[in-house]
Amino acid sequence: MATELVKVTINEKTFDVPKGARLIDVCRQNGYDIPSFCYYSDLALQASCRMCLVRIEKMPKLQTSCTITVTDGMVVTTQSEEIEKAQRGMNEFLLANHPLDCPVCDRGGECELQEMTFDWGGLEERFTEEKNYYPEKYLSPMVANDQQRCILCKRCTRVCDEWMGEEAIEAGGRGAHTVIGTYMGWLDCSQCGNCIEVCPTGTLLDATYRHQTRPWELAQTISTCNFCSDGCQMSLGSRGGELMRVVARDRYVNGINGEFLCVKGRFAHPFVNHEARIRTPLIRYKKGGKLIPATWDEAIRHVAERLDTIANDHGRNAIGVVGSPRLTNESLYTLHRFATELVGTDNYTVADAFSLKSFFANLGAPLATHRDIRNAKTILLIGGEPEELQPLTGKQIRQAVRNGGAKLVVANSVRIRLTEQAAAFLHIRPGTEDAIVLALADEGTSSLAAQKTGLETKDIDAAREILANTAGDVVVMFGGELSREAQAILAQLTFAAEGQRVLFHPLPLFNNSVGALDMHMLDGAMTASEMLDACGSEIRAMYVAGSFLPQHLEGREDALAKLDFLVVQELFETETTATADVVFPAASYAEQDGTFTNNDGLVQRVRQSIPPLHQAKADWIILAQLAKELGLDFGYEFAPTSVFRSIAENIPAYSGLRYPLLKDESQPVQARYNIGQTDVSEALTAVRGSVEALANEGDKIFGTPKVGHELFKIGNLTDKVPQFHLLASGNPRPETTAISPLYQITVK
Amino acid sequence: MSTQITQIQPLSQPVELGVEPATFSPEVEAEIDRHLAKYPIIRSAILPLMFIVQRERGYLDPPGVLYLANRLKLRVTDIWEVATFYSMLHTAPIGKYHVQVCRTLSCKIMGAGKVTEHCSKKLGIKVNETTADGRFTLSEVECLGSCGTAPMMQINFDYHENLTPEKIDQVLDALP
Amino acid sequence: MRIEAIGCEPLQLRRVHLENSRSLDVYRANGGYEALKKVLDSMSPDDVINEVKKSSLRGRGGAGFPTGMKWSFVPKDSPKPKYVVCNADESEPGTFKDRYLMERDPHMLIEGMLIAAYALGARTNYIYTRGEYKYLIDIMDVALDEARAAGLLGEKILGTNFASDVYTHTGAGAYICGEETALLSSLEGLRGHPRMKPPFPAVSGLYACPTVVNNVETLTAVPDIIKMGGEAYQKLGTEKSGGTKLWSVSGHVNKPGVYELPMGYDDMEKFIMEDCGGILGGKQLKAVIPGGSSVYIMRADQIIGKDVRMDYEGLVAAGSSVGSGGFIVMDETVDVFESTKNLTEFYKHESCGWCTPCREGTDWLVKVFKRIDKGGGRPEDAQLMLDLCDNIEGKSFCPLGDAASWPIQSAIKRFPEDFKRRLQANGDHST
Ligand SMILES: Cc1cc2nc3c(=O)[nH]c(=O)nc-3n(C[C@H](O)[C@H](O)[C@H](O)COP(=O)(O)O)c2cc1C
Ligand code: SF4
Ligand code: FES
């Protein structure tokens, strides 16, 4: 779609720029630097810092370039004595009440006010009066606050409102006594810390990183988050083999998430250097005995022998191989080869919450990228809870609606927070998500679906109406509630409309759930739960890279104990290692190179920020060594690049990919899944059957889940971060906010 | 089930607010409803409602704030951000009688300083202080539109103009 | 305190001295609601707007924008509801005319608003009154109930198909909420921050709908304009400034009060020395701030013997402006350094804090004034203050920033001696 161009003259040079573009952007894109604090693209205009002043012909007084949209023939001056004086004046005003304590400020060295002052500030300091004073304090376990440094650009309040939809932090007071804060001074929100990220000064600070290093002492490594499937790009700041902090500040990183991160991505990293990390290989020489440190050679040899005997005694299929959806593609690919080529078992899988196999098998349209979501015209969300489980997706949806005027259609058994933005909310009975998919695929079933979901037919028709009347992009999202068949039907959905494009956005739970599928780890004969049920009978030994999820072990607590032999690769001791015979120390995402594939199908780089801790090794290296011991050489010469090359050669969707092609996170590369028509008539019959079998009445779930009910859940990793225990226990307001809220708990 | 935009309860409130929302008599509730009825968007009623809560509870205390948040379908921090912007709204306790002496130019040149001084002496408190018995709070405020009848003070909502020391004494002594 | 018309028949002040002037009966008995009847019977909305245009009525709130033109900016075709909002926030220091209009003649305002609502097609209208004027809100509510009961509000007004209603709304103590866009933010239940213009309220105002914001005195002028016709009203004043204007006189005069003068009243000196009874205690006139605090301060010698004409053009020519008509008279005992400090403290207190120059600038200026006041003045302070004002003026988000700098700029220029005295003061006590 070609945009109309207009002529704009800036400092005597004329440019053709897109009609309706913002003057400040136009100037910057054409090399005229314009200072600003409050302007932040894709947030509501503020025009309060008054730094971005320019002179426009035929306009009285200086104008704020952040509020001006260019018009044809506009003549602009961005540099002159008058403008410079004004900008120096503004900067001087901002510094008037700003303490000059940069040497002790965590932001020192990456502070926009500091930089602006060097570039645009006045030289002599004329403000000799007393500065307004506010004490430092904590707003939450994650957010520290030094009010004095605030320049009231209100980026924080705007991201909290527009990105997060939480409006947890606001401006209070008036005039020179305006402060950023909350009622009662305690911040109860999802603790994403994006207010910290966008703060140009040291006003809002990472409480977990307070006074630890100066920014310039940190080695910055661009990598991919290892929590949810959104795959945010982030900068790992390390010093001396220790991971000190995580930011998305896009001066370092320019990924799909811009400056956005969620509470886990930003604050849960301390697990990496936690002292509970498994340090050496461990062997349990006799059942019920203790795990005893061993050398790598000894442990590898031990495992090789035992697997060999079990294969000989019980057959190869008696050995189950299980991977974690947190592993890199490199490790999962190697694990698949380990299972199929070396062990030769049919029983391998990934311990994930649900499988997207039949969705991808029937994919009828491309996957949406997060940028596509932001620009969508209509978004259909069936099940799931992105604001808690895929926070970046949640933010993109919110902005699509608030800033982009998109329509959001939600079908969910719970009134999730995103329904605040919804144009249509189908409040269905729990477990009836399939019925909605059916009704959308086949109008004839509307009344059936209505009956089973507890809606009225007109509600469903209204939703279908919105979808059918959308010109532009419709993004279809879904969570783990859908059956295999419903996934297939959904993957083939279309809504007849002019100039419409359907895009899909699955909502798996883990950073590499999609990669695990691509690496064929879900082609095995059993699911994780089935495999646990088979322990001691069909399955006599198991090789687990990672751990099972609580929901797998629930009701099957003693399954693993029934095994003759259990090998686990892990960072920490878990329920899964409890009965393991051998445990290998695995390296975390921060200690290795590799790739994750996110829910956009983007293959993104994981980069080593610190050397492996203790004796830990990347999972794929452990497997390759074990394979060597058993007489098979994967031929990787122990370089992740060569593993990835092998992936590219054997996995069609990844063909032609190489690390160098993935090096720029601002140009992410999407895996090439094959897209096409498939016959889902059987699936339709099956789903109609299962929907008809649903009860005709049943209770609905009322109330909106509390912010953080999923994000703050304690898992194996967040368990290692004391702040998360405070959040998990309801983020209580401490007696005093003058010292770190951590004083409330004894850190183990 | 509704398919319109869903107005839902505040999602993000300070935990441990540790109080129940305030409750009011049917008469007051009716008064509140009358205000809400004036506007197409409920949030518009925030200032009138704040004055009512303040009148009923002395100031905007946590139960009052929680009440407002629920009634207006806002977050408590939204109440805070508005309450702290306006000089007539109080988020901290204040005297039963709020003695507000106008300090702006017309009153100043007509002797506002003496008025403040006299009140201060008589009440035994400095500006911005409250008497121990909680009866009086003394403040200096900006122009109240009595410049033609300066100097003046406002006690709660009542104007007292063309003030002389004698008149100030009468007014203050007459208060129940 | 006086309330009277001088040099013209009382128009706005016609009823203020009558017994029960507030009541509907007295209002009707003295020509009330005839204009509304005339409008509903015989005029189209455009006729009304044209009459107002002919009257060359200019906004009495301070900006002096031609009212008829403002009304004509409202898009006729817009499907959205439209609103008329009366600005009764009257917080400009030295201004108290709106207060007496509402206290003594509330129905005149209601009639004016209804005529505006008819002209603009507004179904709902609000009177935004400053919170301190609570007793006026009560008076207006009584009057509105009377009017409603008499079929002058609500459906089928005066038996016609015209339907419109007026409600009171309270502010809560914020000068900035007198600024029309901040007023609308406040009316929407938000912090009283001004909004970006464009879009102007006429296009996107209250709830993003077309809205006209007018001052009380502007709206109360409308019934007479309709009754006597735009031209007749204009002729009461000058060509560019039609009609009569209320001046709120305060400070060192023998007869402070609200005076209604024809626009273009010929001599400010005569007004002060005779009409307002001269300077208190026979002292010498030193300075006048003629249009509320937000205008240039005038020296006595800019007034005495200068035949200053009291209308928009005349006051600009004389080096100040009409503003809100808050006429503050200061005698020889006043120290202009002090009076300027006082006003700067006002602006600091009332700055909404949205934009950098006003928020930080007024805070800084007050600190400088206080230092000087404590004897810490330095010769370069005058230059510093002027430069700070220059960095605020024309760069702030809304006009309050300008309003804060003008008194200082004019005071330092026109009363240098009052500043010099302090600045030569004994050295630097500031640190
Ligand atoms: C800081 C500031 C304060 C203002 N205060 C008032 C006020 O108290 N009353 C008023 O009528 N207009 C006030 N105005 C002017 C309004 O913005 C607006 O111009 C006026 O209400 C329009 O009505 P009018 O055209 O009838 O004058 C103020 C403007 C500014 C910039
Ligand atoms: S100039 Fe700026 S800070 Fe001052 S009142 Fe206007 S917007 Fe607020
Ligand atoms: S960036 Fe334009 S005013 Fe702040």
Side-chain angles (χ1 to χ4, degrees):
Chain A
M1 191 171 63
T3 47
E4 191 182 334
L5 295 181
V6 295
K7 286 213 178 308
V8 181
T9 307
I10 306 172
N11 302 341
E12 270 116 42
K13 278 222 208 78
T14 303
F15 303 89
D16 292 309
V17 304
K19 191 161 187 276
R22 211 158 271 305
L23 182 55
I24 190 169
D25 297 332
V26 169
C27 293
R28 287 173 173 177
Q29 281 147 17
N30 292 292
Y32 302 106
D33 193 10
I34 295 206
S36 79
F37 289 110
C38 68
Y39 178 63
Y40 195 103
S41 69
D42 216 14
L43 287 182
L45 283 179
Q46 173 94 354
S48 66
C49 76
R50 318 305 286 178
M51 283 298 288
C52 66
L53 297 167
V54 297
R55 170 62 67 184
I56 301 176
E57 256 183 34
K58 300 202 218 59
M59 287 208 196
K61 61 190 187 174
L62 297 173
Q63 301 291 319
T64 48
S65 55
C66 67
T67 60
I68 303 281
T69 48
V70 291
T71 54
D72 197 34
M74 188 177 263
V75 180
V76 184
T77 312
T78 70
Q79 280 139 355
S80 73
E81 233 171 66
E82 168 198 42
I83 295 169
E84 187 160 322
K85 176 176 189 304
Q87 286 165 338
R88 287 188 189 282
M90 288 316 138
N91 200 275
E92 185 180 34
F93 281 142
L94 288 172
L95 286 176
N97 278 309
H98 185 91
L100 301 178
D101 61 352
C102 308
V104 298
C105 174
D106 281 343
R107 193 69 101 224
E110 49 188 18
C111 165
E112 293 178 39
L113 181 59
Q114 206 175 36
E115 287 163 7
M116 206 69 76
T117 306
F118 291 136
D119 297 357
W120 305 89
L123 301 175
E124 101 259 50
E125 210 212 342
R126 297 191 294 174
F127 184 88
T128 58
E129 322 303 326
E130 197 170 308
K131 293 177 189 268
N132 300 340
Y133 172 78
Y134 304 93
E136 292 184 41
K137 59 186 185 302
Y138 285 82
L139 290 175
S140 83
M142 305 328 203
V143 185
N145 177 217
D146 187 343
Q147 201 50 258
Q148 286 189 98
R149 297 175 180 155
C150 181
I151 58 171
L152 291 168
C153 66
K154 304 231 188 97
R155 290 184 197 173
C156 51
T157 64
R158 285 177 289 160
V159 294
C160 191
D161 176 356
E162 296 175 46
W163 288 6
M164 309 310 294
E166 294 182 26
E167 298 175 34
I169 189 164
E170 298 283 6
R174 186 169 84 194
H177 305 293
T178 309
V179 294
I180 297 299
T182 75
Y183 184 56
M184 309 270 262
W186 196 240
L187 191 51
D188 178 35
C189 62
S190 70
Q191 307 292 331
C192 63
N194 289 319
C195 50
I196 301 170
E197 185 91 43
V198 297
C199 178
T201 69
T203 305
L204 294 165
L205 295 166
D206 180 339
T208 68
Y209 164 74
R210 204 96 197 265
H211 305 315
Q212 295 214 353
T213 66
R214 311 315 312 275
W216 59 82
E217 301 173 330
L218 294 174
Q220 305 282 358
T221 310
I222 297 173
S223 193
T224 303
C225 181
N226 80 319
F227 285 96
C228 88
S229 61
D230 278 329
C232 289
Q233 298 300 288
M234 45 174 50
S235 173
L236 309 182
S238 66
R239 187 183 65 175
E242 191 178 353
L243 183 53
M244 305 299 292
R245 72 162 192 191
V246 167
V247 296
R249 193 162 295 111
D250 58 11
R251 72 176 64 197
Y252 308 128
V253 197
N254 195 0
I256 54 173
N257 50 309
E259 295 198 285
F260 171 95
L261 287 178
C262 78
V263 61
K264 284 185 179 161
R266 188 182 303 280
F267 297 113
H269 56 81
F271 76 83
V272 170
N273 292 89
H274 196 273
E275 77 266 21
R277 281 285 297 275
I278 295 168
R279 292 158 190 251
T280 67
L282 304 168
I283 302 179
R284 197 187 310 274
Y285 289 94
K286 59 176 185 344
K287 291 270 171 206
K290 282 178 74 247
L291 282 167
I292 295 167
T295 66
W296 273 104
D297 294 349
E298 187 186 2
I300 296 248
R301 220 175 303 113
H302 183 72
V303 171
E305 285 161 10
R306 298 287 282 110
L307 289 180
D308 224 16
T309 30
I310 292 174
N312 294 335
D313 303 355
H314 303 282
R316 299 177 161 276
N317 285 342
I319 301 174
V321 176
V322 181
S324 154
R326 288 204 186 285
L327 305 186
T328 59
N329 286 320
E330 289 70 6
S331 293
L332 288 160
Y333 175 76
T334 308
L335 190 63
H336 181 253
R337 288 187 67 182
F338 176 85
T340 52
E341 296 172 33
L342 185 75
V343 178
T345 175
D346 302 337
N347 300 324
Y348 58 88
T349 188
V350 175
D352 202 338
F354 61 97
S355 159
L356 289 167
K357 196 168 174 196
S358 78
F359 166 76
F360 275 95
N362 293 280
L363 194 59
L367 295 184
T369 64
H370 283 85
R371 186 173 284 95
D372 294 329
I373 299 171
R374 165 64 183 86
N375 299 324
K377 289 276 164 291
T378 299
I379 296 167
L380 170 63
L381 173 62
I382 303 174
E385 192 179 6
E387 62 268 65
E388 290 281 320
L389 300 171
Q390 296 85 6
L392 175 60
T393 298
K395 174 235 176 196
Q396 295 299 87
I397 296 174
R398 238 175 252 114
Q399 283 207 292
V401 175
R402 301 175 79 118
N403 310 38
K407 285 199 164 63
L408 172 64
V409 178
V410 177
N412 203 305
S413 59
V414 178
R415 174 164 285 175
I416 56 173
R417 303 204 306 284
L418 270 172
T419 54
E420 248 189 342
Q421 267 84 37
F425 171 41
L426 304 176
H427 191 180
I428 61 176
R429 295 199 189 103
T432 62
E433 288 79 6
D434 279 14
I436 297 297
V437 177
L438 181 66
L440 291 173
D442 167 4
E443 283 206 33
T445 60
S446 293
S447 54
L448 169 68
Q451 183 182 37
K452 302 297 184 179
T453 52
L455 297 167
E456 295 183 15
T457 317
K458 67 167 171 51
D459 299 334
I460 296 177
D461 296 340
R464 190 187 289 109
E465 201 62 4
I466 295 176
L467 291 158
N469 294 337
T470 307
D473 288 358
V474 175
V475 177
V476 179
M477 306 186 183
F478 63 98
E481 296 86 347
L482 298 187
S483 67
R484 273 181 44 243
E485 296 76 11
Q487 274 189 19
I489 299 168
L490 176 132
Q492 288 287 320
L493 273 182
T494 53
F495 317 97
E498 284 304 298
Q500 183 180 87
R501 180 173 71 148
V502 174
L503 298 168
F504 290 107
H505 189 70
L507 298 170
L509 296 190
F510 296 97
N511 52 305
N512 209 22
S513 295
V514 174
L517 189 84
D518 298 342
M519 300 302 122
H520 297 305
M521 274 306 289
L522 283 140
D523 295 355
M526 288 187 183
T527 67
S529 314
E530 286 163 357
M531 217 179 279
L532 284 167
D533 292 330
C535 283
S537 52
E538 263 169 284
I539 302 290
R540 311 304 297 260
M542 212 182 270
Y543 193 103
V544 185
S547 285
F548 285 95
L549 302 175
Q551 66 247 49
H552 298 127
L553 294 167
E554 196 180 350
R556 306 191 180 90
E557 288 75 7
D558 55 355
L560 293 169
K562 298 196 195 119
L563 293 167
D564 302 353
F565 189 58
L566 172 61
V567 186
V568 182
Q569 304 181 353
E570 249 299 353
L571 301 175
F572 300 104
E573 303 209 356
T574 66
E575 309 84 335
T576 308
T577 62
T579 57
D581 299 275
V582 178
V583 179
F584 290 121
S588 77
Y589 78 116
E591 298 151 56
Q592 61 184 304
D593 282 290
T595 55
F596 292 148
T597 306
N598 80 344
N599 49 24
D600 300 345
L602 301 180
V603 185
Q604 305 192 104
R605 287 283 275 110
V606 175
R607 292 191 181 81
Q608 184 179 47
S609 155
I610 56 173
L613 289 156
H614 318 298
Q615 293 188 27
K617 294 183 196 243
D619 294 86
W620 66 269
I621 294 180
I622 302 173
L623 293 161
Q625 284 185 338
L626 185 53
K628 253 210 173 70
E629 183 69 25
L630 286 158
L632 175 68
D633 183 349
F634 288 139
Y636 292 156
E637 69 267 355
F638 295 101
T641 45
S642 56
V643 185
F644 193 70
R645 187 172 305 110
S646 171
I647 292 175
E649 280 155 9
N650 296 294
I651 310 271
Y654 290 59
S655 64
L657 296 187
R658 294 283 186 278
Y659 281 179
L661 294 175
L662 307 179
K663 81 171 174 303
D664 178 359
E665 73 281 356
S666 66
Q667 310 285 333
V669 180
Q670 196 172 37
R672 268 182 254 90
Y673 299 104
N674 52 9
I675 295 165
Q677 290 250 329
T678 61
D679 174 12
V680 293
S681 48
E682 278 179 22
L684 274 165
T685 345
V687 172
R688 183 180 286 105
S690 60
V691 169
E692 273 159 356
L694 289 168
N696 285 339
E697 61 286 309
D699 297 340
K700 287 188 177 175
I701 303 166
F702 291 99
T704 294
K706 177 121 184 53
V707 175
H709 74 108
E710 285 290 346
L711 281 167
F712 300 163
K713 270 194 186 147
I714 296 296
N716 285 332
L717 303 183
T718 49
D719 171 57
K720 309 299 182 297
V721 187
Q723 283 87 353
F724 273 81
H725 288 275
L726 283 175
L727 298 183
S729 52
N731 186 18
R733 187 186 194 290
E735 292 298 311
T736 167
T737 56
I739 57 174
S740 168
L742 280 183
Y743 82 86
Q744 298 173 100
I745 55 175
T746 46
V747 183
K748 30 173 168 54
Chain B
M1 280 311 300
S2 77
T3 54
Q4 321 94 28
I5 292 175
T6 44
Q7 238 301 10
I8 72 174
Q9 284 303 305
L11 301 179
S12 163
Q13 297 187 349
V15 276
E16 304 308 315
L17 204 47
V19 296
E20 286 301 300
T23 55
F24 299 106
S25 68
E27 297 69 35
V28 175
E29 286 290 340
E31 185 186 2
I32 286 172
D33 290 327
R34 278 200 300 283
H35 281 292
L36 286 167
K38 291 185 192 172
Y39 311 97
I41 292 184
I42 45 178
R43 182 169 181 150
S44 281
I46 193 167
L47 292 181
L49 265 56
M50 281 175 167
F51 276 114
I52 293 174
V53 171
Q54 199 160 278
R55 182 191 71 208
E56 296 295 313
R57 305 185 64 85
Y59 73 105
L60 298 176
D61 58 350
V65 169
L66 205 49
Y67 172 90
L68 287 165
N70 296 341
R71 201 73 150 81
L72 295 161
K73 301 231 184 295
L74 296 171
R75 291 130 167 102
V76 280
T77 294
D78 298 331
I79 307 297
W80 170 81
E81 84 177 316
V82 172
T84 52
F85 183 88
Y86 297 93
S87 55
M88 294 177 74
L89 299 168
H90 308 291
T91 48
I94 181 164
K96 177 159 179 259
Y97 298 110
H98 189 192
V99 180
Q100 306 156 82
V101 182
C102 175
R103 62 160 295 282
T104 319
L105 190 51
S106 302
C107 280
K108 176 191 161 64
I109 62 178
M110 299 303 283
K114 292 200 179 55
V115 175
T116 317
E117 227 170 86
H118 189 85
C119 293
S120 173
K121 265 209 211 65
K122 185 170 173 67
L123 300 172
I125 48 174
K126 294 204 214 60
V127 173
N128 298 330
E129 289 182 351
T130 303
T131 53
D133 60 6
R135 256 170 77 79
F136 294 98
T137 299
L138 179 62
S139 307
E140 285 182 331
V141 297
E142 300 297 348
C143 182
L144 291 175
S146 296
C147 323
T149 46
M152 69 81 66
M153 66 182 175
Q154 186 178 29
I155 298 182
N156 296 347
F157 284 112
D158 301 332
Y159 277 64
H160 304 280
E161 309 175 273
N162 296 316
L163 292 176
T164 58
E166 302 68 40
K167 189 159 175 201
I168 297 172
D169 292 341
Q170 285 168 19
V171 172
L172 291 178
D173 298 340
L175 289 170
Chain C
M1 199 196 76
R2 295 293 190 83
I3 304 183
E4 66 189 62
I6 289 166
C8 64
E9 279 304 299
L11 216 58
Q12 302 252 359
L13 301 181
R14 187 183 297 125
R15 283 168 294 265
V16 290
H17 295 297
L18 300 176
E19 181 125 351
N20 289 329
S21 62
R22 286 183 198 156
S23 73
L24 179 56
D25 302 343
V26 173
Y27 184 64
R28 280 196 138 154
N30 293 273
Y33 289 110
E34 283 167 11
L36 178 62
K37 187 159 186 3
K38 178 176 172 191
V39 164
L40 296 184
D41 293 350
S42 61
M43 295 173 77
S44 74
D46 285 337
D47 299 342
V48 177
I49 294 177
N50 285 331
E51 282 309 315
V52 176
K53 276 192 176 152
K54 281 192 233 144
S55 74
S56 70
L57 170 66
R58 292 171 61 167
R60 305 293 194 229
F65 191 85
T67 306
M69 200 189 305
K70 183 187 275 190
W71 290 11
S72 63
F73 290 157
V74 173
K76 296 262 168 312
D77 42 18
S78 162
K80 293 177 169 176
K82 308 185 181 49
Y83 296 95
V84 172
V85 175
C86 171
N87 187 338
D89 193 60
E90 193 163 63
S91 310
E92 181 79 4
T95 315
F96 46 93
K97 63 199 174 62
D98 297 345
R99 175 183 168 192
Y100 291 99
L101 287 173
M102 293 164 81
E103 178 186 301
R104 308 281 178 100
D105 206 349
H107 283 283
M108 179 164 54
L109 175 57
I110 299 173
E111 184 175 13
M113 286 185 78
L114 284 171
I115 295 171
Y118 174 80
L120 302 163
R123 176 69 180 75
T124 310
N125 316 285
Y126 297 99
I127 306 173
Y128 185 105
T129 311
R130 67 180 297 181
E132 296 87 343
Y133 280 173
K134 174 150 190 323
Y135 83 102
L136 292 180
I137 298 178
D138 299 341
I139 289 173
M140 288 309 305
D141 280 331
V142 171
L144 287 166
D145 290 343
E146 275 184 307
R148 221 167 265 122
L152 291 158
L153 279 176
E155 305 296 328
K156 299 230 166 292
I157 292 173
L158 292 173
T160 67
N161 284 330
F162 175 54
S164 197
D165 216 327
V166 179
Y167 305 100
T168 54
H169 182 85
T170 178
Y175 167 65
I176 187 59
C177 291
E179 194 283 330
E180 55 188 356
T181 58
L183 181 150
L184 296 174
S185 304
S186 180
L187 184 47
E188 288 178 11
L190 306 165
R191 291 161 61 81
H193 290 301
R195 300 174 180 176
M196 229 166 291
K197 294 194 233 175
F200 289 89
V203 178
S204 173
L206 187 60
Y207 310 126
C209 300
T211 305
V212 160
V213 181
N214 273 131
N215 171 254
V216 173
E217 186 189 346
T218 312
L219 289 164
T220 50
V222 171
D224 285 310
I225 291 173
I226 296 299
K227 266 195 280 184
M228 69 174 68
E231 263 143 49
Y233 179 85
Q234 179 268 316
K235 289 208 164 37
L236 295 173
T238 67
E239 192 202 323
K240 288 221 191 60
S241 319
T244 62
K245 166 93 191 89
L246 297 182
W247 298 84
S248 319
V249 181
S250 66
H252 296 136
V253 289
N254 285 311
K255 298 191 229 156
V258 178
Y259 292 91
E260 180 170 19
L261 306 186
M263 277 290 183
Y265 185 81
D266 53 8
D267 183 0
M268 186 185 284
E269 178 182 1
K270 173 156 155 291
F271 178 59
I272 300 168
M273 293 309 175
E274 294 168 24
D275 308 331
C276 299
I279 305 304
L280 212 50
K283 292 212 174 54
Q284 289 300 312
L285 174 68
K286 177 169 183 176
V288 172
I289 301 177
S293 59
S294 306
V295 304
Y296 288 161
I297 185 171
M298 301 172 77
R299 293 176 67 98
D301 60 26
Q302 292 176 289
I303 300 165
I304 307 296
K306 292 289 194 303
D307 301 339
V308 176
R309 222 176 70 237
M310 291 177 71
D311 60 20
Y312 293 97
E313 298 71 27
L315 274 169
V316 170
S320 189
S321 50
V322 168
S324 65
F327 197 94
I328 308 171
V329 181
M330 292 176 263
D331 71 17
E332 56 196 302
T333 63
V334 172
D335 175 347
V336 172
F337 170 88
E338 298 259 335
S339 66
T340 313
K341 170 170 177 284
N342 178 280
L343 290 180
T344 309
E345 285 167 342
F346 167 82
Y347 287 109
K348 182 217 160 170
H349 184 262
E350 299 302 335
S351 165
C352 84
W354 183 264
C355 73
T356 305
C358 171
R359 180 185 70 239
E360 300 296 334
T362 53
D363 183 61
W364 186 344
L365 283 161
V366 165
K367 285 170 176 169
V368 173
F369 269 111
K370 287 194 168 148
R371 170 166 55 77
I372 297 171
D373 196 39
K374 289 213 211 73
R378 308 168 194 156
E380 66 270 24
D381 281 332
Q383 193 43 49
L384 173 66
M385 288 196 272
L386 286 173
D387 192 58
L388 295 180
C389 290
D390 181 57
N391 288 345
I392 300 172
E393 187 193 9
K395 296 158 191 82
S396 55
F397 185 90
C398 87
L400 190 143
D402 308 332
S405 28
W406 292 331
I408 302 176
Q409 292 167 330
S410 53
I412 294 181
K413 248 193 248 90
R414 293 174 182 175
F415 298 87
E417 60 283 1
D418 285 15
F419 283 79
K420 278 215 192 63
R421 200 177 322 114
R422 303 298 195 108
L423 300 186
Q424 256 93 37
N426 32 339
D428 183 339
H429 305 300
S430 65
T431 43

